[in-house]
Amino acid sequence: MTATLSHGDAGKPWSAIPFQDVIALVHKGCVEDPERPALIIEDGLTLTRREFLERCERFAGYLSSRVQPGDNVVVMLDNRVEFMVALFGIIANRATLVSIAPTAQAFDAGHIMKDSSPVLAIAGTTQLPIVEQLKPGCPSLKEIIVVDGDEPDGLGRFERASARLDFGKAKCKREDYTTVYYTSGTTGAPKGCILDHGWWLRVMDLDQRLFRRGWQDRQLCCLPFYYADPTLQLLTSLSTRGTMIAMRRFSVSRFWDVVRKYDATEILSIASVPALLLKGEPGPQDRDHRMRLAIHAGLPAELHRQLVDRFGFHWLDNYGSTEGGIMARVPFAMAEELVGKGSIGIEAPEVGMRIVDDEDRDVKPGEIGEALIKGADLFRAYLNRPDVTDEAMRGGWYHSGDLIRRDERGLMYFVGRKKDMIRRSGENIAAAQVEAVLRSHPKILEVAVIPVPDQLRGEEVKAYVQLKAGETQGSLPPEEIIAFCRGQLSPYKIPRYIEYRTADFERTPSMKVQKQALLKEKTDLIAGCWDRDAVEGRR
């Protein structure tokens, strides 16, 4: 069925990334072209490859007496170059970076720290109070390293304290755990997704075989560093003699200025970035840039043609996940043909995909089913969750929880998710986690959290709240609920819409709230709801 469609001459496996570990790639990429910039921050801070490697090796040397192979190190930092220095310093010591969002509050960060049992924490001054608050409940944590002072010297006092650990002589093994990213679960708290060296190398090899890059290319990163994507962009730049340009955070007003000032040629885009860029006033400078490609996860079909016609470069839809890496992408040769079609393309090279029903039986073309993924170097496991890992990988296939439709030509289309999860501005939010916080309020009896469509952010968080007997909206107003959430949840997880209920929820035989019934109660799910953005004047 898919024989007529392919990614063309993608080359042989490992022809783009012939390395056995990430540190070997970093070392070679830095020593071969030492004076070329490795990383440029939007406000002008620039690190050459020589400077970047020296800082990484010096910090790795400091860590060498503090961590052992297999140790976990939590990192909670804003978009600063020290994040990347810490990352490679940790990996070079065969320890594992556990990523925490810099905006995480005690509830979110506390779960990760308790679950991962870190021996060391690296935090910015803004994040330090949260880490210190959680330290008594984390007996494994021996030391907190604070990133303080002017960038890039936030780790300078540690870098100068020890001899360098030569990355050219690092003893990393391909199967070493490198990173843990917590992904939102469907029935409980987020679970830690473990990635090894092979995962990073495979994703980069696939990506670079699908789209060739060289010294003239500059990746624009507008995503938080605690995601995996910025690290992939930096590694891609190092391996192709390119440069990564990083924004502190995405901003429509600064985006094109950064693109033009630093000659960015490519962007990795998610969530509402396309919609926000199109909201800007059209002008003659819309095509005054060197951009030649955008790769986007979940590109809105209705905006696709506008993006290409206005800005003059193609936006390729990409289907991937923390567990599976790159799973499918629109072939570059089909970019124009598939503008506005909503297709995520075809399987990436060396990736097997099946679309199945609830019994793992293959469905016919045109029918909707769950995407199952098979390939080398997928995620290793979920931290401390062998049962969940086995369930996700049953039969030797990764069960994505994503609903996909494949047409007669073999082109695939993302339909939705089986998971009880909300995707807001590119962030995965476990409804169960938000519900756990809301239920802990002394005046709340029961809650249900669902996604509601949103043109700008893809989905927004709506909470149905049932109060305890004797309580009313007057005794527990929405503003008080939001304030309660702010102390425990990351900002993007806080509900935007709140609807009070007086009657009990419909329930399943196992007494869980029947959320499908909620979705069918009314056509407009936000009608009559309290709207946080409207009250706070934000949009």
Side-chain angles (χ1 to χ4, degrees):
M1 178 174 57
T2 60
T4 58
L5 299 178
S6 75
H7 287 283
D9 184 17
K12 296 181 179 179
W14 307 113
S15 57
I17 301 293
F19 299 97
Q20 289 302 306
D21 65 82
V22 168
I23 296 304
L25 183 156
V26 172
H27 182 260
K28 188 170 189 280
C30 288
V31 299
E32 286 193 341
D33 199 356
E35 299 311 313
R36 185 177 298 279
L39 177 61
I40 301 174
I41 306 295
E42 64 171 300
D43 46 30
L45 176 64
T46 301
L47 280 186
T48 66
R49 283 160 155 74
R50 175 183 54 78
E51 293 168 328
F52 181 67
L53 180 62
E54 179 177 353
R55 289 183 180 277
C56 290
E57 290 186 337
R58 288 196 178 280
F59 188 61
Y62 175 80
L63 291 179
S64 63
S65 63
R66 286 165 167 77
V67 298
Q68 300 295 321
D71 282 347
N72 288 336
V73 180
V74 296
V75 176
M76 194 174 181
L77 279 175
D78 294 309
N79 278 24
R80 299 178 53 129
V81 297
E82 292 90 347
F83 185 102
M84 297 300 180
V85 170
L87 168 66
F88 296 126
I90 292 166
I91 294 175
N93 280 285
R94 302 182 64 198
T96 305
L97 179 144
V98 178
S99 185
I100 302 181
T103 57
Q105 296 301 305
F107 188 89
D108 303 316
H111 165 69
I112 294 175
M113 289 185 63
K114 290 176 184 177
D115 189 53
S116 62
S117 300
V119 301
L120 194 69
I122 301 173
T125 54
T126 303
Q127 293 79 30
L128 181 60
I130 292 291
V131 178
E132 289 181 328
Q133 175 187 339
L134 297 170
K135 189 176 186 299
C138 189
S140 62
L141 184 59
K142 302 173 184 177
E143 182 180 357
I144 301 173
I145 293 176
V146 183
V147 179
D148 193 10
D150 294 335
E151 190 179 14
D153 293 322
L155 290 170
R157 62 194 183 282
F158 307 105
E159 295 168 9
R160 293 185 288 271
S162 304
R164 293 169 66 165
L165 191 162
D166 186 347
F167 277 17
K169 300 177 181 178
K171 304 299 183 182
C172 297
K173 297 182 179 180
R174 188 184 182 89
E175 64 270 19
D176 287 345
Y177 293 174
T178 58
T179 47
V180 176
Y181 296 98
Y182 276 76
T183 63
S184 293
T186 62
T187 59
K191 52 191 181 291
C193 186
I194 303 171
L195 309 181
D196 61 14
H197 288 269
W199 185 95
W200 296 97
L201 298 171
R202 169 186 166 270
V203 171
M204 285 187 293
D205 184 69
L206 284 174
D207 182 49
Q208 292 180 39
R209 287 160 53 206
L210 293 176
F211 187 77
R212 307 299 202 278
R213 301 172 180 85
W215 64 267
Q216 74 280 7
D217 284 303
R218 291 189 160 195
Q219 299 251 338
L220 177 63
C221 172
C222 58
L223 306 177
F225 281 6
Y226 76 91
Y227 287 11
D229 304 278
T231 300
L232 285 168
Q233 289 185 284
L234 179 56
L235 289 171
T236 295
S237 297
L238 291 176
S239 65
T240 59
R241 302 181 71 182
T243 298
M244 184 173 97
I245 314 298
M247 299 181 73
R248 300 291 184 188
R249 60 185 59 84
F250 176 75
S251 164
V252 176
S253 62
R254 300 195 315 274
F255 181 86
W256 290 111
D257 290 339
V258 174
V259 167
R260 297 184 187 103
K261 182 177 181 179
Y262 297 111
D263 287 330
T265 60
E266 181 182 339
I267 178 178
L268 182 61
S269 170
I270 64 171
S272 57
V273 170
L276 292 169
L277 290 179
L278 286 172
K279 284 181 177 292
E281 192 68 29
Q285 286 191 309
D286 282 346
R287 293 194 172 208
D288 180 20
H289 54 73
R290 291 182 59 229
M291 278 282 197
R292 63 192 190 114
L293 179 68
I295 296 175
H296 186 92
L299 188 66
E302 67 275 11
L303 303 180
H304 198 169
R305 175 52 66 187
Q306 297 179 58
L307 289 163
V308 175
D309 290 350
R310 179 170 168 182
F311 300 124
F313 57 92
H314 275 298
W315 294 65
L316 297 187
D317 217 329
N318 183 83
Y319 173 56
S321 70
T322 307
E323 291 88 347
I326 297 175
M327 300 183 291
R329 183 178 292 177
V330 169
F332 190 74
M334 299 181 70
E336 180 60 32
E337 176 188 346
L338 296 180
V339 170
K341 299 297 192 298
S343 174
I344 59 173
I346 60 176
E347 297 96 323
E350 297 91 53
V351 173
M353 284 188 68
R354 295 171 56 205
I355 314 300
V356 303
D357 61 18
D358 289 340
E359 303 300 322
D360 284 3
R361 297 172 300 200
D362 294 291
V363 302
K364 297 177 182 178
E367 295 181 348
I368 296 170
E370 181 183 5
L372 306 191
I373 314 298
K374 178 176 280 190
D377 297 302
L378 303 184
F379 80 115
R380 287 290 295 274
Y382 293 118
L383 184 64
N384 302 325
R385 301 295 300 275
D387 54 335
V388 179
T389 303
D390 290 344
E391 176 65 17
M393 293 299 300
R394 63 185 185 274
W397 291 80
Y398 167 57
H399 289 62
S400 68
D402 296 324
L403 298 175
I404 301 289
R405 174 177 61 84
R406 195 199 305 261
D407 67 18
E408 293 286 351
R409 298 178 64 194
L411 291 167
M412 292 181 289
Y413 303 81
F414 182 83
V415 177
R417 291 179 302 282
K418 294 178 72 174
K419 303 177 181 180
D420 186 13
M421 197 152 61
I422 301 160
R423 190 163 178 84
R424 181 188 185 275
S425 295
E427 297 275 6
N428 287 329
I429 303 168
Q433 188 181 25
V434 182
E435 289 165 349
V437 170
L438 290 168
R439 285 195 188 100
S440 69
H441 193 288
K443 296 181 180 180
I444 292 177
L445 176 64
E446 180 61 290
V447 297
V449 170
I450 65 167
V452 293
D454 184 81
Q455 186 175 14
L456 181 61
R457 299 183 178 109
E459 291 178 345
E460 273 285 7
V461 182
K462 176 181 176 179
Y464 293 86
V465 176
Q466 182 183 8
L467 300 177
K468 290 183 177 179
E471 303 293 346
T472 66
Q473 185 172 342
S475 64
L476 183 62
E479 292 86 351
E480 187 174 325
I481 295 175
I482 298 303
F484 181 77
C485 291
R486 283 200 172 108
Q488 304 187 66
L489 291 170
S490 299
Y492 66 87
K493 297 181 180 180
I494 297 172
R496 175 179 171 184
Y497 298 106
I498 293 178
E499 179 173 332
Y500 289 82
R501 292 179 68 88
T502 54
D504 193 11
F505 297 90
E506 283 190 44
R507 296 183 180 272
T508 66
S510 59
M511 292 306 294
K512 294 180 180 178
V513 173
Q514 178 54 267
K515 293 188 178 180
Q516 290 300 316
L518 294 175
L519 296 173
K520 297 175 183 178
E521 281 187 350
K522 52 187 178 184
T523 304
D524 185 353
L525 290 171
I526 65 175
C529 293
W530 180 86
D531 182 352
R532 176 163 58 94
D533 279 8
V535 173
E536 297 176 352
R538 296 186 300 110
R539 195 58 190 129

